[in-house]
Amino acid sequence: DVKVTQSSRYLVKRTGEKVFLECVQDMDHENMFWYRQDPGLGLRLIYFSYDVKMKEKGDIPEGYSVSREKKERFSLILESASTNQTSMYLCASSRIDRLYSNQPQHFGDGTRLSIL
Amino acid sequence: LAKTTQPISMDSYEGQEVNITCSHNNIATNDYITWYQQFPSQGPRFIIQGYKTKVTNEVASLFIPADRKSSTLSLPRVSLSDTAVYYCLVGSPWSYIPTFGRGTSLIVHP
């Protein structure tokens, strides 16, 4: 079974801090994703990566950056945390299969981040 | 990217069949339809995926009409544990960018 592990379930940081959220997957998936989830807004894609050192912006990349130095690890970075970045952050991974269906995404259980 | 429209919420009772419809008027020829389920404090979980007609697995069925402009997720004989948010997505094998939307919040009552 695919396992996507996020480093923290709960995290509290202060405004202006640099925050790192870590995600590791154990199934050698090419794709990795970072989402945030807010009440009434569903899941919104922040960034995704389809290979090591490759990244693409999602719908809401402002205020965030990402790093993928190894295939199994995808980090989300809040360069200078602000209160409007208080949210649930979800990481996911999936396999690339260009010929057939979209391969399902496998999600971690999320990090609930509070910026004070 | 094809957008999807789902009801915001639905209510049902234990033992009933629940059908959640998703509209995707601009679905492209290569797009597949995928449904996820999310429980509180967990990440979404893949339920079912299809391209046309009907797909069934141990959890649900997915009905897709010929024009593919909508799809219906069918949950047979729901229980309290089916209370969750259900997301419909459309996308092609060549599209890396999945769009989840707001989903449908299903509440199953005793």
Side-chain angles (χ1 to χ4, degrees):
Chain A
D1 234 12
V2 176
K3 190 164 179 64
V4 177
T5 303
Q6 295 185 228
S7 53
S8 305
R9 287 302 304 269
Y10 301 94
L11 203 55
V12 180
K13 296 291 183 180
R14 296 202 176 273
T15 303
E17 280 193 71
K18 190 169 186 176
V19 180
F20 294 85
L21 302 183
E22 307 286 345
C23 175
V24 177
Q25 50 96 1
D26 65 359
M27 282 301 291
D28 202 37
H29 284 172
E30 293 86 356
N31 295 330
M32 295 191 75
F33 308 82
W34 273 107
Y35 295 86
R36 66 177 282 176
Q37 184 169 32
D38 301 288
L41 297 178
L43 277 79
R44 294 181 291 168
L45 183 65
I46 304 171
Y47 269 97
F48 69 99
S49 167
Y50 52 90
D51 201 352
V52 175
K53 296 192 185 297
M54 305 303 291
K55 61 183 179 183
E56 294 286 344
K57 294 179 179 179
D59 298 321
I60 51 165
E62 296 78 19
Y64 303 95
S65 62
V66 290
S67 172
R68 192 160 180 207
E69 297 297 318
K70 294 184 178 181
K71 191 175 185 179
E72 68 272 16
R73 187 179 296 269
F74 192 35
S75 302
L76 179 70
I77 304 156
L78 286 66
E79 298 290 344
S80 178
S82 63
T83 54
N84 62 11
Q85 292 178 307
T86 291
S87 185
M88 169 70 86
Y89 290 87
L90 289 158
C91 174
S93 71
S94 70
R95 185 167 62 88
I96 287 179
D97 188 336
R98 294 181 184 276
L99 296 179
Y100 302 106
S101 61
N102 282 329
Q103 292 301 312
Q105 293 183 68
H106 299 265
F107 283 82
D109 283 334
T111 296
R112 189 165 294 281
L113 175 64
S114 297
I115 307 296
L116 305 179
Chain B
L1 297 168
K3 290 189 176 179
T4 60
T5 303
Q6 305 173 233
I8 293 174
S9 63
M10 294 182 69
D11 289 88
S12 184
Y13 292 90
E14 284 190 292
Q16 289 188 336
E17 178 185 74
V18 171
N19 296 309
I20 306 174
T21 297
C22 179
S23 298
H24 28 79
N25 292 320
N26 297 320
I27 191 168
T29 303
N30 295 320
D31 284 347
Y32 281 74
I33 300 152
T34 311
W35 285 81
Y36 288 80
Q37 174 191 56
Q38 185 180 23
F39 298 114
S41 300
Q42 293 185 23
R45 182 177 69 104
F46 170 82
I47 302 177
I48 198 166
Q49 183 177 76
Y51 182 79
K52 61 180 179 180
T53 62
K54 176 183 174 183
V55 179
T56 297
N57 62 22
E58 63 279 4
V59 176
S61 294
L62 178 60
F63 298 92
I64 306 167
D67 66 6
R68 303 199 332 121
K69 292 184 183 296
S70 66
S71 59
T72 299
L73 175 73
S74 181
L75 304 172
R77 297 181 300 282
V78 294
S79 64
L80 297 177
S81 63
D82 292 313
T83 292
V85 178
Y86 293 82
Y87 294 94
C88 164
L89 281 74
V90 294
S92 75
W94 299 274
S95 168
Y96 295 119
I97 309 176
T99 302
F100 271 80
R102 301 183 183 187
T104 297
S105 175
L106 171 66
I107 299 175
V108 179
H109 302 276

